[in-house]
């Protein structure tokens, strides 16, 4: 990261006169030396000010100093820390402060380990709010810093991996599972987290956990573990045997995950549909309040496209209702009366919400993705049956021989390995959701439509609507920004046919977001019975591949050098990505770059069967140069690549 840029940003704090930001490649966080603007300024106040700036600038957690050292003497030309032009001399600052800061790193690490041991021994004896704050300090290595109860874990420099450590520590102290999704939730500050733990310890409600369903530290998850009775109370399940069937007319739809990438386009589809019949779309969104949840949803549509935001606002004014709720908690965190009223109103449920994280283990995705689906089933079985549209993933097919598009997932994949392989946790969590829904169909006749997606690409029309964190966007950005591409992304010598340039003929499986959302809504929007499963894939054997996309980028005027040798390309490309400016590098392929260390095997058509989907939807679009050119335009608009 460019430390000088961070110094410039943090130097705008009214509490900071001068700042030297320090880090090394062996540490996952930064320290800083600060000359305060006022002599009575405390280190804690400065850290809080830096965190405020980090939030405003959307900095990554590792770009926020965890601790500052107050320096009373200014950096000057006389003491050799400023140049003649008044600029800070980093080598001299490192020479002056580096050894002390390295000692501080060592002290923090030693103190952190001792504090973690102490918290495991006696943390449960102190007030929960005190221990939660102390645990956050210990995990993040910011002992001595003041942490306010209304601070969020991410604001303190925490990320998903440190949240995983924090979650494990809290479980060791209290014997309560606190999923990563709870810790990083937008409505979950440290005070709310303490209340969550206290409630879980005192509650007589046994919320399902990975351990209670599959067994503590289970290495294999079985479909037979995922009984509805492990998640929902007997009273509800008994009553569900006698509830009326689905209503013939859909006037009110509950949509989860509407502020997610695909979810926002499903939201638009249903807003359009409900506007035609005078109905209502209720969006369940995480937030501190209904107003906060609404603001989060509004932000998802504010990508700089005036036509899009105007259309959304017009539809929202007519038919949208936003409710703050958390899928991973009983009844979405509502009281019984509010939940009962919701169950009475809703006619249909569309459930794309999920915590999508390919690094977290199944245990830590169990709450939001599995318990969350069980809570959707609770709503679907209460008062009357409500058809459910469920968004799954093609990752459920990993490791399954002879996978069937519309097969019984409990038969096709009766057990799953639980390990730390890439996306194992996410794939398992969506598999578990499918198993629960299949059980609900068998036991209660709950109508269900499951859609397994692969790569959901940019919206073909709305400006700025692309999924910046996904691997495809990262690849396009990185190839354009570095100006480097291999002659082919695919392995040679496999026997695959080749094009006129000698490159293997291959196919890239992806579909535009707008097509996917329209297809899902059209296929499942009127379902009132049955259990159907569709693989949302691009099945065309059309030789449109990553190599084709590079050709289109070059034809669009981008200066991209073609490197003949793949290994040479990967070496040069990796170095060039490392050297990109901060903003580009943070959105580049860097976190996933090892997946491109070797050429990919060429494939023709979709990797999984998609006959059911093709028959239901009709025409499936081929990917075209217009979509790739839109990626370029969107990346330019987001200031992630240059205009030329």
């Amino acid at each position: 990261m460019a430390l000088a840029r961070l110094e410039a940003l943090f130097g705008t704090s009214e509490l900071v006169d001068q700042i030297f930001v320090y880090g090394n490649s062996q540490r996952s966080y930064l320290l800083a030396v600060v000359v305060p603007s006022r002599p009575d300024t405390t280190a804690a106040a400065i850290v809080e000010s830096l965190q405020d700036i980090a939030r405003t600038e959307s900095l990554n957690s590792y770009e926020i100093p965890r601790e500052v050292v107050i320096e009373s003497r200014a950096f000057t030309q006389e003491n050799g820390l400023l140049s003649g032009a008044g600029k800070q001399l980093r080598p001299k600052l490192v020479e002056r402060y580096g050894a002390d800061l390295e000692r501080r790193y060592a002290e923090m690490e030693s103190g952190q380990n001792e504090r973690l041991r102490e918290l495991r021994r006696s943390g449960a004896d102190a007030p929960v709010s005190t221990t939660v704050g102390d645990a956050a300090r210990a995990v993040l290595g910011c002992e001595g810093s003041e942490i306010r109860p209304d601070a969020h874990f991410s604001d303190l420099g925490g990320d998903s991996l440190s949240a995983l450590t924090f979650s494990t520590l809290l479980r060791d102290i209290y014997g309560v599972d606190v999923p990563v999704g709870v810790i990083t939730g937008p409505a979950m500050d440290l005070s709310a987290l303490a209340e969550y733990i206290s409630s879980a310890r005192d509650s007589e409600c046994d919320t399902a956990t990975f351990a209670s369903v599959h067994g503590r530290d289970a290495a294999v998850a079985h479909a037979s573990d995922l009984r509805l009775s492990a998640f929902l109370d007997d009273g509800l399940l008994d009553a569900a045997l006698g509830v009326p069937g689905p209503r013939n007319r859909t006037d009110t739809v509950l949509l989860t995950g509407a502020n997610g990438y695909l979810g926002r386009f499903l939201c638009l589809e249903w807003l359009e549909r409900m506007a035609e019949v005078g109905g209502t779309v209720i969006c369940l969104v995480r937030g501190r309040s209904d107003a906060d949840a609404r603001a989060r949803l509004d932000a998802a549509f504010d990508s700089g496209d005036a036509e899009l935001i105007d259309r959304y606002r017009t539809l929202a004014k007519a038919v949208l209702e936003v409710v703050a709720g958390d899928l991973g908690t009983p009844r979405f965190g509502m009281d019984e009366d509010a939940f009962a009223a919701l169950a009475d109103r809703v006619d249909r449920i569309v459930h794309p919400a999920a915590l999508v994280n390919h690094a977290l283990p199944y245990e830590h995705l169990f709450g939001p993705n599995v318990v969350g689906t069980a809570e959707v089933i609770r709503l679907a079985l209460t008062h009357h049956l409500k058809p459910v549209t469920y968004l799954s993933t093609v990752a459920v097919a990993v490791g399954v021989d002879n996978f069937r598009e519309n097969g019984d997932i409990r038969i096709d994949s009766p057990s799953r390995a639980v390990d730390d392989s890439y996306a194992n946790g996410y794939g398992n969590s969506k598999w578990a959701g499918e198993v629960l829904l299949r059980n609900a169909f068998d036991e209660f006749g709950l109508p269900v439509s499951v859609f397994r997606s692969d790569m959901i690409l940019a919206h073909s029309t709305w400006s700025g609507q692309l999924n910046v964190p996904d691997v495809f966007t990262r690849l396009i950005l990185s190839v354009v920004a570095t100006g480097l591409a291999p002659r082919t992304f695919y392995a040679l010598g496999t026997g695959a046919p080749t094009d006129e340039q000698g490159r293997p003929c291959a196919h890239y499986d992806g579909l535009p977001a707008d097509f996917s959302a329209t297809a899902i809504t059209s296929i499942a929007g009127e379902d009132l019975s049955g259990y159907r499963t569709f693989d949302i894939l691009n099945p065309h054997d059309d030789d449109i591949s990553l190599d084709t996309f590079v050709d289109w980028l070059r034809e669009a005027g981008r200066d991209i050098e073609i490197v003949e040798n793949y290994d040479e390309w990967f070496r040069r490309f990796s170095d060039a990505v490392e050297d990109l400016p901060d903003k580009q590098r943070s959105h580049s392929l860097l976190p996933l770059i090892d997946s491109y260390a070797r050429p990919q095997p060429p494939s023709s058509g979709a990797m999984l069967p998609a006959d059911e989907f093709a028959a239901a939807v009709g025409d499936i679009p081929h990917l075209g140069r217009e979509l790739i050119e839109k990626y370029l335009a969107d990346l330019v608009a987001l200031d992630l690549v240059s205009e030329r």
Side-chain angles (χ1 to χ4, degrees):
M1 68 189 77
L3 296 178
R5 171 177 170 269
L6 296 179
E7 289 168 346
L9 288 174
F10 293 136
T12 62
S13 167
E14 62 179 13
L15 303 183
V16 174
D17 187 31
Q18 296 171 306
I19 183 170
F20 165 52
V21 177
Y22 180 82
N24 69 43
S25 60
Q26 306 303 312
R27 309 289 181 175
S28 61
Y29 57 92
L30 300 172
L31 300 175
V33 177
V34 172
V35 179
S37 55
R38 297 191 299 270
D40 59 344
T41 305
T42 65
I46 292 173
V47 169
E48 183 178 333
S49 175
L50 302 187
Q51 290 169 352
D52 289 341
I53 292 170
R55 277 192 295 273
T56 301
E57 298 294 331
S58 300
L59 296 182
N60 296 301
S61 59
Y62 55 79
E63 295 175 302
I64 310 169
R66 282 200 188 163
E67 186 173 289
V68 301
V69 176
I70 299 291
E71 172 60 87
S72 59
R73 295 168 297 176
F75 309 154
T76 65
Q77 295 177 22
E78 288 72 22
N79 60 24
L81 301 181
L82 295 183
S83 70
K87 294 186 176 181
Q88 292 182 186
L89 298 173
R90 177 160 295 277
K92 294 295 184 181
L93 287 161
V94 170
E95 181 181 326
R96 172 71 64 88
Y97 299 107
D100 289 340
L101 292 171
E102 285 297 329
R103 279 193 292 273
R104 184 60 191 139
Y105 269 131
E107 291 169 359
M108 291 171 71
E109 183 174 340
S110 175
Q112 179 183 32
N113 292 336
E114 177 55 36
R115 187 61 181 134
L116 290 172
R117 287 191 289 269
E118 178 61 27
L119 283 166
R120 286 186 170 93
R121 284 195 299 266
S122 60
D125 298 331
V128 176
S129 58
T130 300
T131 296
V132 167
D134 289 347
R137 286 190 192 90
V139 167
L140 298 175
C142 48
E143 291 289 345
S145 299
E146 181 182 351
I147 294 183
R148 295 190 340 223
D150 62 351
H152 287 250
F153 187 75
S154 58
D155 295 340
L156 301 172
D159 54 20
S160 61
L161 293 180
S162 55
L164 182 57
T165 303
F166 191 38
S167 171
T168 302
L169 176 61
L170 293 173
R171 187 183 70 188
D172 291 345
I173 295 170
Y174 293 110
V176 170
D177 284 305
V178 187
V180 167
V182 170
I183 292 170
T184 58
M188 193 61 67
D189 57 27
L190 295 185
S191 176
L193 187 58
E195 291 177 10
Y196 177 94
I197 293 169
S198 297
S199 176
R201 295 174 78 194
D202 299 338
S203 175
E204 296 180 0
C205 176
D206 295 325
T207 301
T209 65
F210 172 87
S212 69
V213 172
H214 296 300
R216 178 75 68 192
D217 301 323
V220 178
H222 300 282
S224 57
D225 300 335
L226 293 155
R227 303 177 307 278
L228 289 175
S229 59
F231 296 82
L232 304 174
D233 60 273
D234 291 340
L236 169 73
L237 297 177
D238 290 343
L241 292 169
V243 300
R247 293 167 176 162
N248 291 325
R249 175 184 168 96
T250 298
D251 288 317
T252 303
V253 175
L254 179 83
L255 174 65
T256 71
N259 59 316
Y261 182 61
L262 181 59
R264 69 191 68 170
F265 305 120
L266 290 168
C267 181
L268 278 177
E269 290 286 331
W270 279 106
L271 288 173
E272 296 273 6
R273 282 188 168 223
M274 290 297 97
E276 292 174 359
V277 298
T280 303
V281 178
I282 302 175
C283 290
L284 186 75
V285 179
R286 290 199 300 174
R288 299 180 182 90
S289 63
D290 291 351
D292 180 50
R294 174 62 189 265
R296 296 186 71 222
L297 179 58
D298 291 349
F301 291 96
D302 191 6
S303 61
D305 191 308
E307 185 179 350
L308 168 61
I309 194 66
D310 181 64
R311 185 61 183 151
Y312 163 69
R313 287 172 177 166
T314 299
L315 291 167
K317 184 177 181 180
V319 299
L320 178 65
E321 182 178 331
V322 180
V323 176
D326 187 344
L327 280 169
T329 58
R331 298 184 300 274
F332 309 145
M334 301 176 182
D335 61 40
E336 292 188 8
D337 289 343
F339 188 81
L342 184 68
D344 183 13
R345 293 180 62 195
V346 170
D347 303 313
R348 183 177 298 274
I349 303 170
V350 182
H351 178 38
L355 176 54
V356 182
N357 187 307
H358 293 162
L360 289 176
Y362 178 33
E363 178 178 3
H364 286 274
L365 294 172
F366 191 89
N369 295 358
V370 186
V371 175
T373 300
E375 290 302 316
V376 165
I377 293 172
R378 183 197 298 275
L379 183 71
L381 298 180
T382 300
H383 192 274
H384 60 278
L385 296 183
K386 304 162 187 68
V388 175
T389 300
Y390 176 65
L391 272 294
S392 186
T393 171
V394 295
V396 303
V398 172
V400 180
D401 295 329
N402 302 315
F403 189 81
R404 298 177 297 165
E405 182 179 9
N406 202 24
D408 188 329
I409 193 68
R410 301 167 301 184
I411 296 171
D412 291 353
S413 184
S415 61
R416 313 274 293 191
V418 178
D419 56 39
D420 59 358
S421 59
Y422 180 74
N424 173 268
Y426 180 64
N428 285 348
S429 71
K430 300 304 284 184
W431 160 83
E434 288 196 31
V435 171
L436 289 173
L437 287 162
R438 190 82 199 202
N439 288 339
F441 168 71
D442 280 359
E443 295 176 33
F444 304 102
L446 180 68
V448 176
S449 299
V450 174
F451 294 86
R452 301 187 188 106
S453 65
D454 191 3
M455 184 57 66
I456 303 296
L457 299 175
H459 194 285
S460 59
T461 304
W462 303 124
S463 298
Q465 289 293 344
L466 73 171
N467 197 10
V468 175
D470 75 26
V471 65
F472 185 79
T473 308
R474 288 176 181 273
L475 177 64
I476 296 296
L477 183 157
S478 300
V479 167
V480 172
T482 63
L484 294 168
R487 184 168 75 90
T488 178
F489 280 96
Y490 302 96
L492 301 169
T494 64
T498 58
D499 64 14
E500 65 276 5
Q501 299 180 51
R503 304 178 303 191
C505 294
H507 168 79
Y508 188 82
D509 190 354
L511 290 168
D514 45 323
F515 169 80
S516 300
T518 300
I520 291 165
T521 308
S522 298
I523 292 170
E526 304 297 333
D527 277 357
L528 293 174
S529 63
Y531 189 103
R532 300 194 295 166
T533 311
F534 304 91
D535 294 340
I536 313 177
L537 302 176
N538 179 340
H540 300 301
D541 185 5
D542 54 11
D543 301 336
I544 296 175
S545 67
L546 292 175
D547 296 339
T548 312
F549 302 151
V550 173
D551 293 342
W552 290 340
L553 290 170
R554 298 179 79 201
E555 290 166 11
R558 291 293 163 169
D559 185 13
I560 299 172
E561 177 187 349
I562 301 301
V563 181
E564 288 292 320
N565 181 274
Y566 192 92
D567 290 341
E568 179 188 350
W569 166 77
F570 183 72
R571 176 183 56 78
R572 291 177 57 191
F573 179 72
S574 299
D575 291 343
V577 168
E578 286 272 11
D579 291 338
L580 289 173
D582 283 356
K583 186 174 181 179
Q584 284 184 319
R585 188 172 64 250
S586 66
H587 295 292
S588 75
L589 197 61
L590 187 60
L592 305 170
I593 202 161
D594 287 344
S595 62
Y596 284 85
R598 297 287 180 272
Q600 301 179 19
S603 62
S604 56
M607 299 294 288
L608 295 176
D611 294 341
E612 300 280 347
F613 177 61
V617 77
D619 292 335
I620 298 175
H622 295 261
L623 299 181
R625 71 170 67 238
E626 296 83 5
L627 186 66
I628 301 305
E629 290 173 354
K630 181 179 181 294
Y631 267 92
L632 274 178
D634 287 346
L635 290 170
V636 168
L638 294 171
D639 197 28
L640 289 173
V641 299
S642 60
E643 192 158 358
R644 270 292 182 270

